[in-house]
Amino acid sequence: MTAARTPYGVGIGWRPEIAGFVAGLPGLRFAEVVAESVPDDGELPAGLDDLLGRGVAVVPHGVRLSLGGAEPVQPERIDHLARAAARLHAPLVSEHIAFVRAAGVEAGHLLPLPRTWEAIDAVVANVRRTRERLPVPLALEPIAAIFDWPDDELDEGAFLTEILERTDALLLLDVANVYANAVNRGTDPAALLDEIPLERVAYVHVAGGAEHDGVYHDTHTDAVPRAVLDLVTQLCERHRPPALMLERDGAYPPAAALRAELDAIAAASGFVAVT
Amino acid sequence: MSDLTPAGRGATGVPDPATGRPARAGGAQARPGLAARQAALVDALTRGAPVPAGFDARRVEIARVALLRKRAGEVARHWPMMAAGLGPGWLPAFSAWAAARPTRGSLRDGWDLARELLARRTLPEMAAPELAVREATLRYDIGGLRPRRAPAVRRVAGSVAVQAAGRVTVFRVPERPAGRTR
């Protein structure tokens, strides 16, 4: 799995709104694009082609597969993700440990799973179905949850480790999600880092959030808190992943602020700045 | 919520995963399967159904409201004139409409809302051309939204969109007494 060994350094989530900014990052070697925004055929979104031409690795990141759904993952969604990977010459693809629909009803968001053996079986079966149709490795991302299910049988570290071991998938670790869950559960964010297989981390998401009504929301539209950057450092002290990327999904700040966030991730991880 | 702590782990009797999974009964109460439980949670978040037993109702409500805010932002990207026309009233208007309607896609959700606001005569004037253009260029079908092949003329309040071969022009015309899409 070269994807897990090649050090890409600091990257960014490519979005149409910041395509110009991303195109102007001289040291960029890694980016991610929402898989559902990559068309099956026809022209790629403007700017993505240029990144590929520069040799930037672009990873499709799925958000609609619903790998944690009790129902089998829909083959046409897997095939779209596979085509996106092929079109982008991606070294890997990623999706979430979550469900987004049930009984045909769309939730409109990534929802947490009960941490039960039954849910693990569902995820493992869906990851197996997905990997059978994918040309490249799959990295799984644990999500931020505002609430938990009432009858968890495993803690988060054991739940994730079991899924990764049984699927042999890579891990997309979102340190902002780790931070959000720890704040909202009243636990130590760094503790999870000692409970999961960090050598499986293919890349890392870093994102901003905000606290409302005593709950931390992983918004992707706010600044990255200092505490999340500190968690990046704590992670890299244990095992530095090949790539860490800023994930911003709206309320885009001026370029200088985005550059500062990328530089802060570089400083926290010890990678060179890409700006 | 505290089962990441050693105390919580011990107190709930969760087995060490290294020793293998527990017997299915495992002291747990019989409960519906994962599919039914996921469906009940989605219904609570998208259709106003009761929060399933055992969940922290306050946290689920916070998630439900956050989900509506996220949906409102996504629909506003597809329907910028409607959102801008309603200004601070956009989030409340969208949330009231969407609270018991699971998403059918941001473009479709905004379309349904725009038609409803038009029927109630509360669609902002600046949003009328946006709706007229959509009506003239896209086919609203059960199976999804598809480009219209045939030429079309659609009127929304004081805006008329004329589409031929995919190109669309919008005219302003005097208002008719009742705003209708066609």
Side-chain angles (χ1 to χ4, degrees):
Chain A
M1 297 208 183
T2 52
R5 292 205 198 101
T6 316
Y8 292 109
V10 176
I12 189 166
W14 185 91
R15 305 288 184 267
E17 295 89 339
I18 54 171
F21 171 79
V22 177
L25 293 171
L28 188 71
R29 299 191 55 220
F30 184 90
E32 181 194 72
V33 60
V34 175
E36 284 79 359
S37 74
V38 178
D40 273 345
D41 41 44
E43 291 201 10
L44 287 172
L48 271 187
D49 252 338
D50 294 337
L51 286 187
L52 295 173
R54 282 170 52 189
V56 177
V58 181
V59 171
H61 181 52
V63 296
R64 306 283 307 278
L65 249 59
S66 204
L67 291 176
E71 297 117 359
V73 60
Q74 297 163 358
E76 60 273 20
R77 292 189 186 277
I78 307 172
D79 290 346
H80 178 267
L81 184 57
R83 276 194 291 275
R87 292 202 72 182
L88 300 170
H89 310 289
L92 75 162
V93 299
S94 56
E95 245 291 356
H96 300 85
I97 299 175
F99 74 106
V100 303
R101 71 183 65 83
V105 178
E106 298 287 333
H109 197 57
L110 302 159
L111 296 178
L113 301 179
R115 292 194 297 270
T116 62
W117 295 100
E118 183 186 18
I120 289 175
D121 288 345
V123 173
V124 169
N126 273 332
V127 169
R128 190 169 294 136
R129 292 180 186 107
T130 303
R131 293 190 61 198
E132 279 170 6
R133 301 171 85 100
L134 283 178
V136 290
L138 170 67
L140 299 175
E141 178 183 4
I143 65 165
I146 287 176
F147 58 85
D148 282 318
W149 288 67
D151 50 0
D152 291 335
E153 296 164 355
L154 298 88
D155 64 37
E156 178 139 18
F159 179 74
L160 298 176
T161 301
E162 181 78 11
I163 289 170
L164 293 171
E165 284 182 358
R166 282 179 55 191
T167 58
D168 197 31
L170 298 172
L171 177 59
L172 162 50
L173 186 64
D174 186 321
V175 288
N177 290 352
V178 173
Y179 175 75
N181 289 337
V183 167
N184 291 337
R185 291 170 185 152
T187 57
D188 171 18
L192 184 71
L193 301 180
D194 296 320
E195 297 170 6
I196 55 177
L198 297 182
E199 71 282 0
R200 281 187 190 266
V201 177
Y203 66 105
V204 166
H205 278 172
V206 184
E211 199 158 326
H212 299 290
D213 304 323
V215 174
Y216 184 85
H217 293 255
D218 177 53
T219 61
H220 300 186
T221 56
D222 293 278
V224 178
R226 183 71 242 171
V228 170
L229 292 169
D230 290 343
L231 199 53
V232 167
T233 301
Q234 290 174 285
L235 168 69
C236 293
E237 283 167 359
R238 288 165 171 81
H239 184 94
R240 191 169 74 171
L244 302 96
M245 53 155 276
L246 177 65
E247 195 182 28
R248 183 89 187 196
D249 282 308
Y252 297 99
L258 278 179
R259 268 196 291 275
E261 293 218 311
L262 291 172
D263 290 347
I265 294 170
S269 63
F271 278 121
V272 297
V274 297
T275 55
Chain B
M1 301 295 263
S2 61
D3 58 358
L4 286 178
T5 64
R9 195 184 301 189
T12 53
V14 173
D16 181 348
T19 65
R21 56 198 299 173
R24 195 72 200 91
Q29 305 283 323
R31 63 180 182 222
L34 184 63
R37 301 172 75 219
Q38 288 184 337
L41 180 61
V42 170
D43 280 353
L45 289 168
T46 63
R47 286 174 155 166
V51 175
F55 281 89
D56 180 334
R58 181 179 153 269
R59 289 292 187 94
V60 174
E61 174 62 12
I62 289 171
R64 191 187 71 84
V65 171
L67 173 59
L68 284 172
R69 190 179 302 118
K70 176 173 175 254
R71 281 180 64 187
E74 290 167 355
V75 172
R77 282 175 59 193
H78 286 279
W79 297 85
M81 301 310 281
M82 177 165 58
L86 289 167
W90 165 246
L91 181 59
F94 177 82
S95 297
W97 177 86
R101 290 180 175 91
T103 183
R104 297 199 293 166
S106 298
L107 180 57
R108 174 80 70 102
D109 287 352
W111 199 331
D112 289 342
L113 175 57
R115 283 180 168 184
E116 186 168 312
L117 294 180
L118 179 70
R120 296 205 308 248
R121 309 212 61 165
T122 52
L123 184 71
E125 191 180 331
M126 66 189 280
E130 187 173 65
L131 178 57
V133 167
R134 294 278 153 71
E135 299 280 3
T137 54
L138 289 175
R139 200 177 275 285
Y140 184 109
D141 284 341
I142 299 296
L145 305 173
R146 290 182 294 121
R148 287 185 181 279
R149 293 224 178 84
V153 179
R154 292 294 181 271
R155 174 178 181 137
V156 174
S159 295
V160 173
V162 179
Q163 178 269 126
R167 299 190 55 164
V168 62
T169 312
V170 183
F171 301 95
R172 299 285 301 163
V173 295
E175 280 257 27
R176 288 188 298 211
R180 291 182 56 85
T181 59
R182 57 190 74 188

mmCIF file of all heavy atoms in Angstrom, chain A residues 224-254:
data_model
loop_
_atom_site.group_PDB
_atom_site.id
_atom_site.type_symbol
_atom_site.label_atom_id
_atom_site.label_comp_id
_atom_site.label_asym_id
_atom_site.label_seq_id
_atom_site.Cartn_x
_atom_site.Cartn_y
_atom_site.Cartn_z
ATOM 1 N N VAL A 224 -9.943 26.342 12.884
ATOM 2 C CA VAL A 224 -9.444 25.151 13.577
ATOM 3 C C VAL A 224 -9.005 25.564 14.980
ATOM 4 O O VAL A 224 -8.127 26.422 15.123
ATOM 5 C CB VAL A 224 -8.255 24.528 12.821
ATOM 6 C CG1 VAL A 224 -7.716 23.320 13.576
ATOM 7 C CG2 VAL A 224 -8.664 24.134 11.403
ATOM 8 N N PRO A 225 -9.605 24.986 16.015
ATOM 9 C CA PRO A 225 -9.217 25.378 17.376
ATOM 10 C C PRO A 225 -7.789 24.936 17.707
ATOM 11 O O PRO A 225 -7.294 23.952 17.162
ATOM 12 C CB PRO A 225 -10.213 24.632 18.275
ATOM 13 C CG PRO A 225 -11.281 24.117 17.375
ATOM 14 C CD PRO A 225 -10.677 23.989 16.010
ATOM 15 N N ARG A 226 -7.169 25.687 18.613
ATOM 16 C CA ARG A 226 -5.830 25.347 19.084
ATOM 17 C C ARG A 226 -5.779 23.894 19.585
ATOM 18 O O ARG A 226 -4.815 23.169 19.353
ATOM 19 C CB ARG A 226 -5.453 26.322 20.226
ATOM 20 C CG ARG A 226 -4.053 26.159 20.775
ATOM 21 C CD ARG A 226 -3.023 26.631 19.773
ATOM 22 N NE ARG A 226 -2.151 25.521 19.382
ATOM 23 C CZ ARG A 226 -1.260 25.580 18.394
ATOM 24 N NH1 ARG A 226 -1.138 26.688 17.687
ATOM 25 N NH2 ARG A 226 -0.516 24.550 18.103
ATOM 26 N N ALA A 227 -6.837 23.492 20.292
ATOM 27 C CA ALA A 227 -6.845 22.151 20.885
ATOM 28 C C ALA A 227 -6.772 21.064 19.813
ATOM 29 O O ALA A 227 -6.196 19.995 20.044
ATOM 30 C CB ALA A 227 -8.095 21.959 21.748
ATOM 31 N N VAL A 228 -7.344 21.332 18.645
ATOM 32 C CA VAL A 228 -7.283 20.342 17.556
ATOM 33 C C VAL A 228 -5.872 20.284 16.985
ATOM 34 O O VAL A 228 -5.355 19.198 16.678
ATOM 35 C CB VAL A 228 -8.334 20.676 16.465
ATOM 36 C CG1 VAL A 228 -8.120 19.817 15.221
ATOM 37 C CG2 VAL A 228 -9.746 20.468 17.012
ATOM 38 N N LEU A 229 -5.227 21.454 16.872
ATOM 39 C CA LEU A 229 -3.826 21.466 16.413
ATOM 40 C C LEU A 229 -2.923 20.753 17.418
ATOM 41 O O LEU A 229 -1.985 20.048 17.037
ATOM 42 C CB LEU A 229 -3.362 22.906 16.195
ATOM 43 C CG LEU A 229 -4.033 23.627 15.013
ATOM 44 C CD1 LEU A 229 -3.720 25.119 15.047
ATOM 45 C CD2 LEU A 229 -3.609 23.016 13.684
ATOM 46 N N ASP A 230 -3.210 20.942 18.709
ATOM 47 C CA ASP A 230 -2.431 20.232 19.727
ATOM 48 C C ASP A 230 -2.593 18.716 19.577
ATOM 49 O O ASP A 230 -1.644 17.951 19.783
ATOM 50 C CB ASP A 230 -2.870 20.664 21.134
ATOM 51 C CG ASP A 230 -2.448 22.102 21.444
ATOM 52 O OD1 ASP A 230 -1.571 22.631 20.731
ATOM 53 O OD2 ASP A 230 -3.012 22.692 22.388
ATOM 54 N N LEU A 231 -3.799 18.309 19.208
ATOM 55 C CA LEU A 231 -4.040 16.884 19.012
ATOM 56 C C LEU A 231 -3.273 16.364 17.792
ATOM 57 O O LEU A 231 -2.810 15.216 17.782
ATOM 58 C CB LEU A 231 -5.553 16.646 18.853
ATOM 59 C CG LEU A 231 -6.082 15.226 19.077
ATOM 60 C CD1 LEU A 231 -5.645 14.645 20.415
ATOM 61 C CD2 LEU A 231 -7.606 15.205 18.957
ATOM 62 N N VAL A 232 -3.126 17.212 16.773
ATOM 63 C CA VAL A 232 -2.291 16.859 15.619
ATOM 64 C C VAL A 232 -0.868 16.559 16.101
ATOM 65 O O VAL A 232 -0.256 15.548 15.716
ATOM 66 C CB VAL A 232 -2.278 18.001 14.574
ATOM 67 C CG1 VAL A 232 -1.168 17.781 13.544
ATOM 68 C CG2 VAL A 232 -3.628 18.094 13.873
ATOM 69 N N THR A 233 -0.352 17.436 16.950
ATOM 70 C CA THR A 233 1.002 17.237 17.472
ATOM 71 C C THR A 233 1.099 15.944 18.278
ATOM 72 O O THR A 233 2.053 15.160 18.118
ATOM 73 C CB THR A 233 1.405 18.439 18.339
ATOM 74 O OG1 THR A 233 1.334 19.623 17.531
ATOM 75 C CG2 THR A 233 2.810 18.280 18.890
ATOM 76 N N GLN A 234 0.094 15.717 19.121
ATOM 77 C CA GLN A 234 0.108 14.495 19.937
ATOM 78 C C GLN A 234 0.043 13.242 19.067
ATOM 79 O O GLN A 234 0.686 12.232 19.360
ATOM 80 C CB GLN A 234 -1.054 14.522 20.936
ATOM 81 C CG GLN A 234 -0.858 15.554 22.041
ATOM 82 C CD GLN A 234 -2.084 15.664 22.931
ATOM 83 O OE1 GLN A 234 -3.093 16.241 22.537
ATOM 84 N NE2 GLN A 234 -1.993 15.100 24.117
ATOM 85 N N LEU A 235 -0.723 13.324 17.993
ATOM 86 C CA LEU A 235 -0.783 12.199 17.058
ATOM 87 C C LEU A 235 0.579 11.968 16.401
ATOM 88 O O LEU A 235 1.073 10.835 16.345
ATOM 89 C CB LEU A 235 -1.849 12.480 15.986
ATOM 90 C CG LEU A 235 -1.835 11.542 14.769
ATOM 91 C CD1 LEU A 235 -2.283 10.134 15.176
ATOM 92 C CD2 LEU A 235 -2.716 12.075 13.642
ATOM 93 N N CYS A 236 1.180 13.050 15.900
ATOM 94 C CA CYS A 236 2.439 12.914 15.157
ATOM 95 C C CYS A 236 3.597 12.491 16.053
ATOM 96 O O CYS A 236 4.568 11.899 15.574
ATOM 97 C CB CYS A 236 2.748 14.216 14.418
ATOM 98 S SG CYS A 236 1.567 14.560 13.080
ATOM 99 N N GLU A 237 3.490 12.812 17.342
ATOM 100 C CA GLU A 237 4.503 12.325 18.272
ATOM 101 C C GLU A 237 4.443 10.808 18.400
ATOM 102 O O GLU A 237 5.463 10.146 18.616
ATOM 103 C CB GLU A 237 4.296 12.955 19.661
ATOM 104 C CG GLU A 237 4.775 14.401 19.736
ATOM 105 C CD GLU A 237 4.279 15.107 20.995
ATOM 106 O OE1 GLU A 237 3.550 14.483 21.807
ATOM 107 O OE2 GLU A 237 4.609 16.297 21.158
ATOM 108 N N ARG A 238 3.241 10.265 18.267
ATOM 109 C CA ARG A 238 3.084 8.811 18.364
ATOM 110 C C ARG A 238 3.426 8.135 17.039
ATOM 111 O O ARG A 238 4.120 7.137 16.991
ATOM 112 C CB ARG A 238 1.637 8.472 18.768
ATOM 113 C CG ARG A 238 1.308 8.791 20.214
ATOM 114 C CD ARG A 238 -0.215 8.765 20.398
ATOM 115 N NE ARG A 238 -0.611 8.850 21.808
ATOM 116 C CZ ARG A 238 -0.665 9.995 22.490
ATOM 117 N NH1 ARG A 238 -0.328 11.143 21.908
ATOM 118 N NH2 ARG A 238 -1.040 9.994 23.756
ATOM 119 N N HIS A 239 2.836 8.686 15.956
ATOM 120 C CA HIS A 239 3.027 8.077 14.635
ATOM 121 C C HIS A 239 2.589 9.112 13.611
ATOM 122 O O HIS A 239 1.391 9.376 13.483
ATOM 123 C CB HIS A 239 2.190 6.798 14.505
ATOM 124 C CG HIS A 239 2.422 6.074 13.215
ATOM 125 N ND1 HIS A 239 3.332 5.061 13.070
ATOM 126 C CD2 HIS A 239 1.869 6.240 11.984
ATOM 127 C CE1 HIS A 239 3.323 4.630 11.827
ATOM 128 N NE2 HIS A 239 2.453 5.329 11.142
ATOM 129 N N ARG A 240 3.533 9.679 12.866
ATOM 130 C CA ARG A 240 3.128 10.718 11.920
ATOM 131 C C ARG A 240 2.562 10.094 10.652
ATOM 132 O O ARG A 240 3.238 9.283 10.004
ATOM 133 C CB ARG A 240 4.301 11.634 11.569
ATOM 134 C CG ARG A 240 3.811 12.880 10.801
ATOM 135 C CD ARG A 240 4.893 13.915 10.687
ATOM 136 N NE ARG A 240 5.910 13.523 9.722
ATOM 137 C CZ ARG A 240 6.876 14.338 9.305
ATOM 138 N NH1 ARG A 240 6.962 15.562 9.779
ATOM 139 N NH2 ARG A 240 7.759 13.918 8.433
ATOM 140 N N PRO A 241 1.332 10.455 10.306
ATOM 141 C CA PRO A 241 0.713 9.887 9.102
ATOM 142 C C PRO A 241 1.320 10.495 7.847
ATOM 143 O O PRO A 241 1.980 11.530 7.911
ATOM 144 C CB PRO A 241 -0.751 10.290 9.242
ATOM 145 C CG PRO A 241 -0.711 11.542 10.051
ATOM 146 C CD PRO A 241 0.460 11.423 10.974
ATOM 147 N N PRO A 242 1.114 9.848 6.686
ATOM 148 C CA PRO A 242 1.723 10.347 5.444
ATOM 149 C C PRO A 242 1.151 11.671 4.967
ATOM 150 O O PRO A 242 1.806 12.384 4.210
ATOM 151 C CB PRO A 242 1.425 9.251 4.411
ATOM 152 C CG PRO A 242 0.749 8.151 5.129
ATOM 153 C CD PRO A 242 0.389 8.586 6.496
ATOM 154 N N ALA A 243 -0.080 11.996 5.369
ATOM 155 C CA ALA A 243 -0.701 13.244 4.914
ATOM 156 C C ALA A 243 -1.698 13.731 5.951
ATOM 157 O O ALA A 243 -2.359 12.940 6.621
ATOM 158 C CB ALA A 243 -1.407 13.043 3.577
ATOM 159 N N LEU A 244 -1.759 15.052 6.076
ATOM 160 C CA LEU A 244 -2.781 15.683 6.916
ATOM 161 C C LEU A 244 -3.387 16.805 6.087
ATOM 162 O O LEU A 244 -2.666 17.544 5.428
ATOM 163 C CB LEU A 244 -2.199 16.291 8.193
ATOM 164 C CG LEU A 244 -1.434 15.397 9.153
ATOM 165 C CD1 LEU A 244 0.058 15.481 8.891
ATOM 166 C CD2 LEU A 244 -1.726 15.803 10.593
ATOM 167 N N MET A 245 -4.714 16.928 6.114
ATOM 168 C CA MET A 245 -5.322 17.943 5.258
ATOM 169 C C MET A 245 -6.387 18.760 5.958
ATOM 170 O O MET A 245 -7.099 18.281 6.835
ATOM 171 C CB MET A 245 -5.911 17.309 3.998
ATOM 172 C CG MET A 245 -6.874 16.169 4.282
ATOM 173 S SD MET A 245 -8.063 15.933 2.947
ATOM 174 C CE MET A 245 -9.305 17.146 3.382
ATOM 175 N N LEU A 246 -6.459 20.028 5.547
ATOM 176 C CA LEU A 246 -7.479 20.939 6.061
ATOM 177 C C LEU A 246 -8.787 20.672 5.331
ATOM 178 O O LEU A 246 -8.828 20.596 4.111
ATOM 179 C CB LEU A 246 -7.045 22.391 5.832
ATOM 180 C CG LEU A 246 -8.051 23.465 6.249
ATOM 181 C CD1 LEU A 246 -8.275 23.456 7.763
ATOM 182 C CD2 LEU A 246 -7.577 24.852 5.794
ATOM 183 N N GLU A 247 -9.851 20.530 6.115
ATOM 184 C CA GLU A 247 -11.173 20.252 5.560
ATOM 185 C C GLU A 247 -12.073 21.440 5.870
ATOM 186 O O GLU A 247 -12.448 21.676 7.017
ATOM 187 C CB GLU A 247 -11.716 18.971 6.224
ATOM 188 C CG GLU A 247 -12.894 18.352 5.519
ATOM 189 C CD GLU A 247 -13.401 17.108 6.254
ATOM 190 O OE1 GLU A 247 -13.232 17.027 7.492
ATOM 191 O OE2 GLU A 247 -13.968 16.234 5.589
ATOM 192 N N ARG A 248 -12.379 22.200 4.821
ATOM 193 C CA ARG A 248 -13.213 23.393 4.995
ATOM 194 C C ARG A 248 -14.377 23.296 4.026
ATOM 195 O O ARG A 248 -14.168 23.031 2.833
ATOM 196 C CB ARG A 248 -12.372 24.650 4.722
ATOM 197 C CG ARG A 248 -13.110 25.946 4.932
ATOM 198 C CD ARG A 248 -12.984 26.432 6.363
ATOM 199 N NE ARG A 248 -13.839 27.588 6.578
ATOM 200 C CZ ARG A 248 -13.722 28.409 7.619
ATOM 201 N NH1 ARG A 248 -12.798 28.220 8.528
ATOM 202 N NH2 ARG A 248 -14.563 29.412 7.764
ATOM 203 N N ASP A 249 -15.597 23.529 4.509
ATOM 204 C CA ASP A 249 -16.776 23.273 3.668
ATOM 205 C C ASP A 249 -17.727 24.447 3.557
ATOM 206 O O ASP A 249 -18.908 24.241 3.268
ATOM 207 C CB ASP A 249 -17.546 22.062 4.200
ATOM 208 C CG ASP A 249 -16.875 20.763 3.810
ATOM 209 O OD1 ASP A 249 -16.599 20.579 2.620
ATOM 210 O OD2 ASP A 249 -16.603 19.940 4.703
ATOM 211 N N GLY A 250 -17.235 25.633 3.770
ATOM 212 C CA GLY A 250 -18.136 26.776 3.627
ATOM 213 C C GLY A 250 -17.656 27.929 4.475
ATOM 214 O O GLY A 250 -16.687 27.783 5.239
ATOM 215 N N ALA A 251 -18.321 29.092 4.344
ATOM 216 C CA ALA A 251 -17.908 30.313 5.046
ATOM 217 C C ALA A 251 -16.404 30.508 4.862
ATOM 218 O O ALA A 251 -15.668 30.738 5.821
ATOM 219 C CB ALA A 251 -18.276 30.248 6.531
ATOM 220 N N TYR A 252 -15.952 30.362 3.592
ATOM 221 C CA TYR A 252 -14.522 30.394 3.315
ATOM 222 C C TYR A 252 -13.921 31.735 3.704
ATOM 223 O O TYR A 252 -14.414 32.785 3.299
ATOM 224 C CB TYR A 252 -14.268 30.103 1.837
ATOM 225 C CG TYR A 252 -14.728 28.717 1.457
ATOM 226 C CD1 TYR A 252 -15.957 28.526 0.829
ATOM 227 C CD2 TYR A 252 -13.973 27.602 1.782
ATOM 228 C CE1 TYR A 252 -16.404 27.243 0.513
ATOM 229 C CE2 TYR A 252 -14.408 26.329 1.475
ATOM 230 C CZ TYR A 252 -15.625 26.158 0.840
ATOM 231 O OH TYR A 252 -16.073 24.896 0.548
ATOM 232 N N PRO A 253 -12.851 31.707 4.496
ATOM 233 C CA PRO A 253 -12.198 32.950 4.928
ATOM 234 C C PRO A 253 -11.289 33.464 3.812
ATOM 235 O O PRO A 253 -11.075 32.765 2.814
ATOM 236 C CB PRO A 253 -11.396 32.504 6.142
ATOM 237 C CG PRO A 253 -11.023 31.093 5.842
ATOM 238 C CD PRO A 253 -12.171 30.514 5.032
ATOM 239 N N PRO A 254 -10.745 34.669 3.974
ATOM 240 C CA PRO A 254 -9.780 35.173 2.999
ATOM 241 C C PRO A 254 -8.585 34.220 2.866
ATOM 242 O O PRO A 254 -8.291 33.449 3.777
ATOM 243 C CB PRO A 254 -9.330 36.517 3.584
ATOM 244 C CG PRO A 254 -10.413 36.914 4.526
ATOM 245 C CD PRO A 254 -11.003 35.632 5.047
#
